């Protein structure tokens, strides 16, 4: 642990003295870092079929989502600081692993972030065709459409800036908006659920039939839908990065998690049952396309339900962008505070205590990416994020062994067998997904490996030419008790030495 001992002159990470988030606001952040609603599940129905999709919606959180949430709950309660999983990894595995984790997480997050405002403008373009990409005003068109500055980009930037400003105002502001948007999204789906299940029962529709897409193997069906549904369950560890801003962190986080997990599963499962029960594309599951929840809403409830679900899809993209921007900026801020990135990225707002430097950097990158056709790279970010989760699991197991007496207000049950099992299940699924991607989508797999290796190669360069001999930042260790370190072999001490 000697490498974690920091100078008293080192600037502390943010968090102390501003713990304002309660259970419900954190539920809102959980909802949007993970879900945002069932939008996107239509692609799973076309890839896997109705029955298999419903089964995967239930099984994947058991195999992947809930284990990830349990690991995050234990580590978040034990080490409740801003930067979350970056600091867990550094304490357990050292600076190099933490840097790689932070790089993978940051790259994956910023690429993922760029998706949401682009999709939002694509959605708006169905109502205003002139703002579609490549249509109307085109200022710059390079690399045969690979980089386009046009009216689509201008509208995208116009939407990004106010969402970034709300992040600048802090987690409390983002969470308050998240609660309202969550209710606005879930309310019409609750109506859709009632109408769809009623229609299925009244007409004798078996929502599990056909179980898979006709003339398609089970393996092809699983492989086709797995990345979609895994992507829909990513992010349970994201809110850990703002724990420095959470009141009574371990209790609040645990309670919010207990509410958020079943809420998110229900938000996926029930509307999907309703959509299948509507009879739309019955017998032809391959015909499901993105946006069919809106079509089902109109068929079952009329134009008013169509409009509400349409508005909900736009709010979902807004909420996802704001919540992921909120949680993701704390990691590059932690990297900058540890001197691996330029110092200005570690700066905080004096008024709102938000990581304004990292926020400006992330927003700028997203604005540039909004002009880029980067769909193949974006698909690769799922594997990059899953690789980061594997490092998180490794940190979890190492902390269990290295600091057996660490104070853990929340603990994965079952002792060592429980700890191994909770990691083994999602790891097996991640390995299967990586293997199937390597076989079926070699370009995507190759891009993922290239980006992952780039982060590894950057560590010695950043350590030598950026960090130099500057010490790591201090963290608020007032509520962290690691206990004896088996590596060091001497008595209990705090996380900062």
């Amino acid at each position: 642990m000697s490498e974690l001992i920091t100078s008293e002159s080192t600037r502390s990470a943010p968090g102390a003295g501003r713990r304002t988030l309660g259970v419900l606001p954190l539920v809102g952040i959980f909802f949007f870092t993970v879900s945002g609603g069932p939008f996107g599940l239509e692609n799973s129905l076309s890839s896997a079929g109705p029955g298999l999709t419903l089964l995967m919606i239930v099984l994947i959180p058991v195999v992947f989502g809930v284990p990830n949430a349990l690991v995050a709950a234990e580590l978040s309660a034990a080490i409740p600081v801003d930067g979350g999983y970056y600091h867990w990894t550094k304490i357990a595995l050292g600076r190099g692993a933490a840097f790689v984790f932070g790089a993978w997480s940051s790259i994956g997050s910023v690429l993922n972030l760029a998706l949401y405002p682009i999709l939002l403008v694509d959605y708006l373009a169905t109502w205003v065709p002139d703002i579609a990409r490549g249509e109307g005003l085109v200022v710059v068109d390079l690399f045969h459409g690979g980089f386009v500055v046009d009216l689509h980009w201008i509208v995208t930037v116009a939407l990004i800036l106010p969402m970034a400003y709300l992040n600048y105002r802090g987690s409390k502001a983002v969470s308050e908006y998240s609660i309202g948007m969550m209710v606005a999204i879930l309310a019409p789906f609750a109506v859709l659920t009632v109408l769809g299940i009623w229609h299925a029962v009244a007409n004798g529709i078996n929502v599990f039939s056909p179980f898979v897409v006709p003339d398609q193997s089970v393996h092809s069906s699983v492989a086709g839908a797995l990345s979609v549904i895994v992507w829909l369950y990513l992010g349970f560890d994201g809110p850990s990065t703002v724990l420095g801003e959470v009141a009574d962190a371990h209790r609040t986080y645990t309670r919010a998690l207990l509410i958020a997990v079943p809420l998110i599963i229900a938000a996926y499962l029930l509307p999907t049952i309703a959509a299948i029960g509507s009879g739309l594309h019955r017998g032809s599951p391959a015909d499901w396309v993105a946006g069919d929840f809106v079509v089902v809403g109109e068929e079952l409830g009329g134009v008013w339900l169509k409009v509400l679900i349409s508005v909900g899809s736009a709010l979902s993209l807004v909420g996802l962008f704001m919540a992921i921007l909120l949680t993701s900026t704390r990691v590059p801020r932690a990297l900058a505070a540890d001197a691996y990135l330029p110092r200005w990225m570690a700066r905080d707002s004096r008024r709102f205590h938000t990581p304004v430097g990292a926020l400006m950097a992330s927003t700028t990158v997203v604005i540039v990416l909004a002009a880029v056709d980067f769909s193949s790279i974006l698909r690769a970010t799922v594997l990059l994020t899953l690789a980061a989760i594997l490092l998180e699991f490794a940190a979890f197991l190492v902390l269990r062994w290295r600091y057996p007496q660490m104070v853990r207000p929340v603990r994965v049950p079952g002792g060592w067998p429980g700890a191994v099992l909770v990691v083994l299940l999602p790891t097996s699924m991640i390995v299967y997904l990586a293997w199937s991607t390597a076989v079926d989508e070699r370009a995507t797999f190759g891009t993922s490996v290239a980006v992952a290796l780039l982060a590894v190669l950057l560590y010695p360069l950043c350590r030598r030419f950026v960090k130099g001999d500057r010490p790591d930042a201090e963290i608020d260790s007032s509520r962290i008790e690691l206990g004896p370190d088996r590596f060091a072999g001497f008595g209990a001490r705090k996380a900062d030495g």
Side-chain angles (χ1 to χ4, degrees), residues 1 4 91-92 398-408 482-486 493:
M1 282 296 289
L4 292 180
I91 293 171
V398 169
L399 286 171
R400 274 287 186 101
W401 182 84
R402 184 173 177 180
Y403 298 102
Q405 296 181 35
M406 181 169 72
V407 175
R408 295 173 171 87
L482 295 180
D485 181 356
R486 281 181 169 169
R493 58 180 170 180

Side-chain angles (χ1 to χ4, degrees), residues 393-454:
F393 289 160
F396 165 71
L397 293 176
V398 169
L399 286 171
R400 274 287 186 101
W401 182 84
R402 184 173 177 180
Y403 298 102
Q405 296 181 35
M406 181 169 72
V407 175
R408 295 173 171 87
V410 178
R411 194 180 183 95
V412 174
W416 268 105
V420 171
L421 181 63
V422 83
V423 167
L424 183 62
L425 289 175
T427 298
S428 300
M429 194 206 67
I430 291 171
V431 170
Y432 172 78
L433 180 59
W435 171 78
S436 63
T437 304
V439 172
D440 300 329
E441 299 180 59
R442 293 182 180 179
T444 298
F445 184 79
T447 303
S448 301
V449 172
V451 175
L453 289 176
L454 175 62

Side-chain angles (χ1 to χ4, degrees), residues 19 77-78 80 243-244 246 248-250 476-481 494:
R19 303 180 187 276
L243 279 180
V246 175
D248 195 8
H250 74 270
D476 176 14
S477 60
S478 59
R479 295 175 303 143
I480 305 172
E481 184 63 59
K494 299 287 187 177

Side-chain angles (χ1 to χ4, degrees), residues 19-49:
R19 303 180 187 276
T20 59
L21 294 182
V23 174
L24 189 57
L26 198 56
V27 169
I29 294 174
F30 262 116
F31 180 77
F32 283 109
T33 53
V34 178
S35 173
F39 308 103
L41 275 167
E42 304 98 328
N43 294 328
S44 177
L45 288 168
S46 64
S47 299

